[in-house]
Amino acid sequence: MPLYICGAGGVGREALDAALAAALDVTAFLDDARAGEKVRGLPVLRPADVHAGDYLVGIAAPTARARLSRILDDLGLRAVTLVHPRAVISPETTLAEGSLIQANAHVSSSVTVGPHVQVHYNATIGHDTRLDARVSVYPGANVSGNVHLCADATVGSGAIVLQGLTVGPGAFVGAGAVVTRDVPADTTVVGSPARPLRRD
């Protein structure tokens, strides 16, 4: 069965790294903007050009992941989960289809990872945490136990989310922020302790 990585940018190429480390053969990248090119020795096709196979969306933006996964699902492709062999996935943790877990990530016990989630290099996810669809946890971030990251939320590089908190749908935790209270939906928080970003 062919395996496609949707997105030939940075995250897509990092997903290819994970696939190669896991001894998986990737057939091509899917990317309308770069169709006809070669990236890392692989052809780049348009999503509409394929009609069967497995795929993983390697794009950072949650909205793009949502749109492209719908397109590929409608074309009859099947989302797969890709885990770098140097990641740690603890017992009683579940990974939904389309998720990407990168090298040196540590996903602790009894964690629920939803569809099309990305946990990047050196990030940690604490016990009993729930990551809903299309959550992104960027490199070096630390998410404590019993946290709920709602759909399309992003935790930036090096950020910390303390125990038992909720980061609302579409919220963005800035790089290096320390989240000490719940984050409302569609809110960007920065700093330590994290506060909503003021837009003047």
Side-chain angles (χ1 to χ4, degrees):
M1 184 73 72
L3 172 60
Y4 301 101
I5 295 174
C6 188
V11 176
R13 286 180 280 121
E14 290 178 341
L16 175 62
D17 294 341
L20 294 174
L24 298 174
D25 291 327
V26 176
T27 305
F29 288 102
L30 304 178
D31 193 320
D32 282 320
R34 301 189 67 175
E37 298 181 29
K38 278 202 167 186
V39 172
R40 295 274 301 272
L42 294 176
V44 183
L45 309 175
R46 291 180 175 82
D49 293 337
V50 297
H51 302 286
D54 296 334
Y55 77 90
L56 181 125
V57 181
I59 296 175
T63 52
R65 260 180 276 160
R67 180 178 62 84
L68 289 163
S69 62
R70 284 194 300 269
I71 290 170
L72 294 171
D73 290 344
D74 289 346
L75 288 170
L77 279 74
R78 180 177 70 103
V80 295
T81 292
L82 180 55
V83 178
H84 194 288
R86 289 204 309 271
V88 174
I89 308 296
S90 296
E92 297 184 343
T93 283
T94 59
L95 304 177
E97 67 281 354
S99 292
L100 172 64
I101 313 295
Q102 285 288 17
N104 302 318
H106 190 125
V107 182
S108 189
S109 299
S110 305
V111 171
T112 302
V113 176
H116 304 289
V117 163
Q118 295 177 356
V119 180
H120 289 264
Y121 299 102
N122 302 307
T124 62
I125 309 296
H127 63 85
D128 300 294
T129 286
R130 189 163 92 239
L131 286 69
D132 291 346
R134 299 172 302 278
V135 160
S136 305
V137 181
Y138 283 176
N142 292 279
V143 177
S144 299
N146 286 304
V147 167
H148 182 195
L149 301 180
C150 298
D152 303 316
T154 297
V155 178
S157 299
I160 297 170
V161 182
L162 296 184
Q163 178 95 3
L165 298 177
T166 296
V167 178
F172 192 100
V173 176
V178 179
V179 177
T180 61
R181 62 182 69 182
D182 291 345
V183 179
D186 300 312
T187 301
T188 296
V189 295
V190 296
S192 177
R195 294 285 186 265
L197 181 65
R198 295 180 60 180
R199 301 188 185 277
D200 298 326

